[in-house]
């Protein structure tokens, strides 16, 4: 049971890292190391970045951008905002409506 709970928590963390990566790709220029999580952290942001590229939510770009949102990535963020923060205030009670398996 403990192992299942730990794996569930790990998957949740990966999805949250995925959301963080999508938001960073949308609005900020980050280093390639930030996206790959080299030299810091536990590698989960790098794994999340790889999964987002694999699922077609992020597209690799040359420096200084490194990654950009695909149309699917933009649609997912719009969906998250519409469901969780439609009026600019976050309503975490609706977070289960977001299609997190894509992350």
């Amino acid at each position: 049971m403990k192992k299942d709970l730990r794996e569930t928590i790990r998957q949740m963390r990966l999805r949250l890292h995925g959301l963080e990566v999508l938001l960073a790709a949308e609005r900020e220029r980050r280093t390639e190391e930030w996206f790959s999580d080299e030299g810091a952290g536990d590698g989960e942001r790098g794994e999340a970045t790889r999964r987002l590229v694999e699922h077609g939510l992020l597209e690799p770009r040359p420096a200084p951008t490194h990654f950009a949102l695909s149309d699917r990535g933009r649609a997912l963020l719009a969906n998250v905002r519409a469901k969780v923060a439609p009026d600019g205030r976050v309503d975490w009670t609706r977070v289960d409506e977001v299609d997190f398996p894509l992350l």
Side-chain angles (χ1 to χ4, degrees), residues 18-78:
L19 188 55
E20 176 187 29
V21 168
L22 287 175
L23 290 169
E26 176 187 50
R27 67 176 188 269
E28 303 169 355
R29 287 191 177 163
R30 296 285 187 152
T31 65
E32 189 172 11
E33 291 79 19
W34 185 89
F35 284 104
S36 66
D37 207 19
E38 289 177 10
D42 51 17
E44 288 182 345
R45 187 169 49 225
E47 186 174 341
T49 300
R50 284 187 295 282
R51 286 172 53 158
L52 293 170
V53 170
E54 211 173 89
H55 290 133
L57 300 169
L58 270 186
E59 298 171 345
R61 294 279 194 254
T65 306
H66 302 293
F67 292 96
L69 292 178
S70 67
D71 290 340
R72 288 183 69 203
R74 273 192 232 38
L76 179 66
L77 283 182

Side-chain angles (χ1 to χ4, degrees), residues 80-91:
V80 169
R81 286 185 176 111
K83 290 179 178 174
V84 178
D87 60 357
R89 297 174 58 200
V90 176
D91 178 6

Side-chain angles (χ1 to χ4, degrees), residues 2-32:
K2 273 187 177 180
K3 187 176 182 180
D4 292 337
L5 181 58
R6 284 186 181 175
E7 183 58 25
T8 299
I9 291 169
R10 181 181 177 282
Q11 290 300 318
M12 186 182 301
R13 269 196 328 265
L14 276 174
R15 290 177 178 135
L16 289 173
H17 279 299
L19 188 55
E20 176 187 29
V21 168
L22 287 175
L23 290 169
E26 176 187 50
R27 67 176 188 269
E28 303 169 355
R29 287 191 177 163
R30 296 285 187 152
T31 65
E32 189 172 11

